[in-house]
Amino acid sequence: MTGYSETDLINGRPPFPYWPADRIDENTRLLQQELQGRSPAGGIEVKVQRKDGSSFDSRMYVSPLIDPKGQQTGWMTSMTNITEAKRIRDQLSASHERFTTVLEGLDAAVSVLSVHKNELLFANRSYRLWFGADAQGHTLLAHSATSKLFVPEPEDEADGLSGLPTQELTEAGAHPREVFIESLQMWFDVRSRYLQWTDGRLAQMLIATDVTARRRVEELAQQQAEKAQVTSRLITMGEMASSVAHELNQPLTAINNYCNGMVSRVQVGAITNEDLIAALQKTARQAERAGQIIHRIRAFVKRSEPQRQVASAAAIVDDSVELAGIELRRRKVSIQTYVAQHLPPLLVDPILIEQVLLNLLKNSADAIDNAKLPPSRRHIELRVVPRHTPDEGGVIEFSVTDTGPGMKEEVIARLYEAFFSTKAEGMGIGLSLCRSIIESHRGRMRAQNLYNGASVTGCRFAFTLPVDLTTRAEPLPVPDVPEETAAANPNATSS
Ligand code: ADP
């Protein structure tokens, strides 16, 4: 072990040749201890220098040498090279230290709970800070109602319960969830894993990351987006104000005419009860029409929480076309709608989709009107058809095609930019909002010019909405839509 020969060592006196030069004092002291019989039973750790100058760690055990008569005649020392063992031990403790430093330094709460005994096996600093030293926090995080369902990543599914018994594990779930802890007023992203603890027991590990700040920002952004949507609907209506006034003027004028007619005929006693009733009924119908226009506009601009609900594409189209019709009639632009039959129901906020359609229809009418196109080119087609694409799966596609002047290259590039507008009074927020509404419904929006040879004949805006699989089981009754033929809907509103 030392590289010294027997003759080098036998009869030697301290300091022995294998004592490192810088440890002579220390070794002398240890030797004194030995000779006084005070060496620890577990041995002592010493550095040993080989003849070639290299050194190693050794453990030295000292015991008295007793002769058959029971007399101590000397000391016996044995030495083991512990370099390897010491290296492994040092490595282990360094890695343990690194492990605890990382876990303790994490901003996330890490806890491990024994599944069978409900006993906390491990809790890091953040856990102790937020939840104290008991298992209650772990239980709260594990069992709180899920606030937001995530689409599980495939790797989570694969790893979550790897190789462990599946009973009683399924309930707690391995997918990340966001949990609100009332007492702390904090949001946590909670991920859980089942693992076999060091003693073989089945345990659940939770990693809860504080996502309160992100949630607050999201909530704020959500509120702002809602405000922007409502504002934009108000702007649309503001822009349509003169059309609405014009539209309301018709029933109001009719009511006025009926009333004046009745007054003069009643005054001269030249009206029968039957005629009077018929005139009153007509008056009431006109008032009802005016009321409907106002009701529709109110429903459209009303500030309401965005609400996803089962909705039919046909009903959304009907409502949008009715509102847009006010504007289209004034601008002498005709519209044809075609809604395919037996469309699956959508899970959307119908007012928001209506808002998108109204924006697209209004943009088309603006484009046609601003270009002062002749009657043959004052036409819009709205189509709703089911589609299946490899990357989107089953969707319903809404498209608005116009016969307007189309868009220049530089306009296409900046189409969805907020506040980009080519119109004198344009706000330029319509399309950017439309796209964010569609994308928040997991749909896509596209715009393109239509050509006949090299000349532009119009443009087409289309968006898709995914068909929610869970609602497919019970299709909504499809409201009155024309028979599915290649022809467009004859039920068109035209000037
Ligand atoms: P705004 O209507 O207030 O200008 P939008 O975001 O709705 O804002 O539209 C941005 C721009 O896109 C419009 O100013 C216009 O130049 C262009 N655009 C939108 N729709 C059409 C269309 N159907 N035909 C031609 N250009 C269009």
Side-chain angles (χ1 to χ4, degrees), residues 35-90:
L35 296 178
Q36 286 159 16
R38 289 194 283 117
S39 287
I44 42 175
E45 232 178 86
V46 288
K47 233 272 167 299
V48 176
Q49 188 162 33
R50 294 194 185 93
K51 195 174 181 180
D52 65 8
S54 64
S55 61
F56 64 90
D57 293 301
S58 81
R59 184 165 287 276
M60 222 166 71
Y61 300 91
V62 181
S63 48
L65 200 61
I66 315 276
D67 71 6
K69 292 188 199 122
Q71 293 285 316
Q72 179 178 1
T73 57
W75 296 92
M76 188 175 75
T77 300
S78 67
M79 203 159 75
T80 325
N81 185 340
I82 57 161
T83 311
E84 188 57 18
K86 189 166 183 295
R87 194 179 58 79
I88 291 171
R89 198 186 61 206
D90 286 352

Side-chain angles (χ1 to χ4, degrees), residues 241-301:
S242 71
S243 302
V244 171
H246 179 78
E247 186 86 0
L248 280 176
N249 209 29
Q250 287 177 351
L252 292 177
T253 309
I255 291 169
N256 198 21
N257 289 344
Y258 285 133
C259 289
N260 286 339
M262 281 185 280
V263 168
S264 47
R265 288 176 67 184
V266 168
Q267 273 171 343
V268 296
I271 191 164
T272 63
N273 267 1
E274 262 169 37
D275 284 352
L276 187 61
I277 287 171
L280 281 170
Q281 278 169 342
K282 282 182 190 164
T283 312
R285 263 201 300 280
Q286 292 297 323
E288 210 174 292
R289 209 183 123 207
Q292 270 168 1
I293 296 168
I294 291 168
H295 174 79
R296 202 167 283 286
I297 290 168
R298 271 200 52 186
F300 182 72
V301 295

Side-chain angles (χ1 to χ4, degrees), residues 239 359-360 362-368 402 404-408 411 414-417 419-423 425-434 449 459-461:
E239 287 167 352
N359 252 306
L360 298 183
K362 224 178 97 5
N363 273 348
S364 287
D366 280 349
I368 290 170
D402 64 50
M407 302 161 285
K408 295 206 174 79
V411 173
R414 305 185 58 191
L415 214 50
Y416 301 107
E417 237 173 68
F419 307 116
F420 172 78
S421 175
T422 56
K423 302 170 199 165
E425 277 119 49
M427 292 282 292
I429 55 169
L431 287 178
S432 88
L433 254 175
C434 286
N449 277 337
C459 74
R460 180 174 186 267
F461 280 78

Side-chain angles (χ1 to χ4, degrees), residues 105-117:
L106 274 185
D107 279 338
V110 181
S111 55
V112 179
L113 188 85
S114 130
V115 167
H116 298 291
K117 275 211 187 133

Side-chain angles (χ1 to χ4, degrees), residues 14 19 23-40 44-46 60:
W19 283 10
R23 301 213 179 198
I24 290 179
D25 287 350
E26 187 188 337
N27 284 354
T28 310
R29 196 172 43 78
L30 287 172
L31 183 67
Q32 287 306 321
Q33 234 176 48
E34 273 171 52
L35 296 178
Q36 286 159 16
R38 289 194 283 117
S39 287
I44 42 175
E45 232 178 86
V46 288
M60 222 166 71

